[in-house]
Amino acid sequence: MAASAAGLVERIEALRIPAQPQAAAHDWKDWYHVVLLHPASGWRVIANLNLAGGGPDAQLQWTLVVHRPGGACGVSLHGASRSQPWHAGMVTARPLHIAGDEAVFGFDGECITLRIAPRDLDLQLSLHAAPAATPLLVTDGAPFGSGFIGWGLLARMRAEGQIAVCGETAPIGDAWFCYHDHNFGRFRWGEDFGWEWLVAHITCEGEVVTVVVDWRCDRAHASGGLPYLFVLAGGALRKVFLGPAMRLRWSWNDAAQLPPRLPGAMATRLADLPVRTPRAITLDAADERDRITLTVAVDAYLEIVAPDNRGSAFARIGESSGAAALELRLGGRRLEGRGLAYAEYTQ
């Protein structure tokens, strides 16, 4: 990785809460997020490790969700989400190392390491990944709820490792797409905020295109901050659409249903709350030079419920994924391709 890229990665990864839980505020959030997609088979993985709160309420939380090819709907869902008290000595900085009972995350300046292995479940992820695209620091301290949020991302990474679920294992290698982002800030779940986010990995005539969308909004998804759309080709940032130049539309199923939910305690609390789930996502963006249309046929959905650590409020984060189709006009070129996408919609 070039020195300039390494410096950008360090800027992203240096934005973290203190290594000692007693030095963190009660409303701190600092989470490390990984998405893995294997277009050839349909495997999809989302993993998240989060340091939340401060003092005696501080927790280390992790979530691992695997969409495995097969099953009546073409995709079978497996997942777990747990937390443990965050004690002194669990986190060290430079190089970053977070060591929990069932989850470990590290960043040594070049490589990200993540391992999640719950003791009592046949569900494991082991991953080593290094940046293979332009690192992006999107915001640092943008207003969010009663506080702020920051966001940096590595839109494409070279990855190797293994995912195991229910007696089946899949090696992670060059054919896999790996995305990582690092979010951090101070706010409380359940406040008047939300977001819409999407990452897609598309192969267009032998060229790999990555699309990343982020819009932070109010809880009703009626207004909010500036939407971003990044288009990367061959690992390089090629285009940014902002604000009114882009539109992200969600199409919802007519009938409500009870979706899979994590973690178990929150799923029990919301056991009688059916919701309408998305069936498709459409992204359009254009300016005087370039244009993009991306459509996602959603075939897998679940909710992750994020409770506030000092109250009864919570936010529901809808996780959608499915096959994606891209039409792109970029710098005089026209590209079309297919791949996979992962998206979030808070409620």
Side-chain angles (χ1 to χ4, degrees):
M1 184 170 57
S4 58
L8 286 171
V9 174
E10 171 58 22
R11 287 184 62 194
I12 294 169
E13 294 304 315
L15 297 166
R16 62 178 68 97
I17 60 180
Q20 301 302 323
Q22 62 268 25
H26 70 87
D27 55 354
W28 264 106
K29 313 285 189 297
D30 192 6
W31 65 100
Y32 301 86
H33 186 218
V34 171
V35 173
L36 294 163
L37 305 173
H38 190 239
S41 66
W43 280 84
R44 296 158 235 171
V45 179
I46 183 170
N48 185 66
L49 188 144
N50 178 35
L51 295 165
D57 298 324
Q59 290 187 329
L60 169 62
Q61 305 164 338
W62 62 261
T63 298
L64 175 60
V65 175
V66 179
H67 300 281
R68 182 178 62 169
C73 299
V75 179
S76 60
L77 174 64
H78 310 266
S81 182
R82 292 177 178 171
S83 63
Q84 68 175 99
W86 169 20
H87 299 303
M90 291 174 61
V91 180
T92 57
R94 285 175 173 71
L96 173 66
H97 186 71
I98 304 172
D101 292 339
E102 300 174 314
V104 176
F105 181 88
F107 173 69
D108 63 4
E110 295 284 342
C111 183
I112 287 172
T113 301
L114 174 64
R115 177 171 172 78
I116 298 177
R119 296 188 181 97
D120 55 347
L121 297 175
D122 188 0
L123 180 67
Q124 294 186 9
L125 170 65
S126 178
L127 178 71
H128 297 271
T134 306
L136 300 172
L137 177 59
V138 185
T139 58
D140 180 3
F144 197 68
S146 61
F148 67 89
I149 194 170
W151 182 49
L153 65 99
L154 300 168
R156 187 180 171 197
M157 306 188 76
R158 296 184 301 272
E160 61 180 22
Q162 180 176 278
I163 182 74
V165 56
C166 296
E168 183 177 357
T169 61
I172 298 168
D174 292 341
W176 285 68
F177 168 74
C178 178
Y179 164 98
H180 163 68
D181 66 28
H182 177 192
N183 298 269
F184 58 94
R186 292 188 64 178
F187 56 88
R188 299 185 64 172
W189 294 113
E191 293 183 330
D192 187 19
F193 63 77
W195 67 77
E196 299 177 23
W197 165 87
L198 177 147
V199 59
H201 173 67
I202 308 292
T203 300
C204 299
E205 302 169 9
E207 185 169 5
V208 174
V209 175
T210 303
V211 178
V212 183
V213 178
D214 180 69
W215 179 45
R216 279 161 245 168
C217 53
D218 62 2
R219 191 157 189 168
H221 295 256
S223 61
L226 184 69
Y228 296 86
L229 165 57
F230 302 103
V231 181
L232 297 94
L237 180 63
R238 296 289 304 278
K239 185 72 180 185
V240 180
F241 292 96
L242 297 174
M246 60 159 286
R247 183 182 180 189
L248 187 63
R249 291 170 292 165
W250 297 72
S251 300
W252 303 89
N253 291 308
D254 293 332
Q257 58 183 298
L258 286 171
R261 289 190 172 104
L262 291 172
M266 297 305 297
T268 300
R269 179 175 179 178
L270 302 178
D272 60 349
L273 179 64
V275 297
R276 294 172 65 200
T277 59
R279 67 173 184 271
I281 307 168
T282 303
L283 168 68
D284 292 293
D287 57 20
E288 67 282 357
R289 179 179 173 85
D290 302 312
R291 177 181 296 273
I292 183 174
T293 298
L294 178 75
T295 58
V296 182
V298 176
D299 63 10
Y301 179 82
L302 77 148
E303 284 189 352
I304 296 174
V305 185
D308 184 68
N309 64 324
R310 284 203 170 185
S312 59
F314 58 88
R316 296 177 7 241
I317 306 171
E319 307 276 357
S320 303
S321 63
L326 175 71
E327 297 180 5
L328 176 64
R329 187 182 71 198
L330 184 63
R333 299 179 62 198
R334 293 182 181 272
L335 298 171
E336 294 185 3
R338 296 185 177 275
L340 289 175
Y342 214 107
E344 290 183 345
Y345 187 102
T346 60
Q347 299 190 60

